[in-house]
Amino acid sequence: MAPDKLASLRKAAKKPQLFRWAEIREEKLNEKITRKLAVGKNHMIGRLHLEKGAVVPPHKHLAEQITMVMTGALKFTIDGKDTTVLAGDVFIIPPNVVHSAVALEESDDFDAFSPLRVDWLTGDDSYLRTGKSTLKK
């Protein structure tokens, strides 16, 4: 996303906004994951669709993450411990915690973040696009 687009989003976030998921452009991140975004001034929410077997490689971010699985099941791994999040469950990941996930079945989830995930807004989220972690070893 171009810097002017990011500035436009921040300007728009200063007034009430109505988003309709059906009207938001779906972004294909890779062969198994798509995403739609609704962005406010301090919070954002992504609606993700993950095909069975989709992998979100290890990564971390400054934002607190709240994930609600709407359909399907996701397995998150943090510090070698697996947590399966089923439809209707909410999973909260604190800021700066390395985590990964795999879709155990076709799944839809909402991921809310604060502060904003600038990497998602600028397209600098190569870990999702390539399926490879960008963490330094």
Side-chain angles (χ1 to χ4, degrees):
M1 181 177 295
D4 59 324
K5 178 72 171 171
L6 185 55
S8 174
L9 281 170
R10 290 190 175 167
K11 183 178 178 183
K14 293 181 180 180
K15 60 183 180 183
Q17 301 175 83
L18 172 65
F19 292 95
R20 298 190 193 283
W21 288 115
E23 297 172 1
I24 297 174
R25 181 182 65 84
E26 185 171 62
E27 180 181 16
K28 185 174 183 176
L29 299 174
N30 62 49
E31 292 302 313
K32 293 193 173 196
I33 303 174
T34 60
R35 172 179 71 197
K36 293 182 177 190
L37 293 175
V39 182
K41 181 178 179 183
N42 299 307
H43 297 82
M44 64 188 293
I45 188 165
R47 184 175 181 177
L48 284 80
H49 178 79
L50 302 96
E51 295 295 327
K52 183 177 181 176
V55 174
V56 177
H59 66 286
K60 67 178 182 174
H61 38 76
L62 295 174
E64 177 179 54
Q65 176 175 337
I66 301 175
T67 295
M68 181 172 179
V69 175
M70 303 304 291
T71 62
L74 302 174
K75 179 177 73 174
F76 287 85
T77 302
I78 298 175
D79 290 332
K81 181 180 177 207
D82 293 337
T83 301
T84 299
V85 184
L86 304 173
D89 291 347
V90 176
F91 190 54
I92 299 175
I93 302 171
N96 293 308
V97 170
V98 175
H99 57 285
S100 61
V102 62
L104 300 177
E105 52 192 75
E106 185 174 352
S107 302
D108 289 291
D109 81 77
F110 287 100
D111 290 337
F113 300 98
S114 181
L116 301 179
R117 291 283 309 272
V118 175
D119 61 330
W120 277 26
L121 297 173
T122 60
D124 190 28
D125 48 2
S126 62
Y127 71 98
L128 279 174
R129 297 170 190 278
T130 65
K132 297 178 183 173
S133 179
T134 56
L135 295 175
K136 306 270 191 245
K137 295 192 180 196

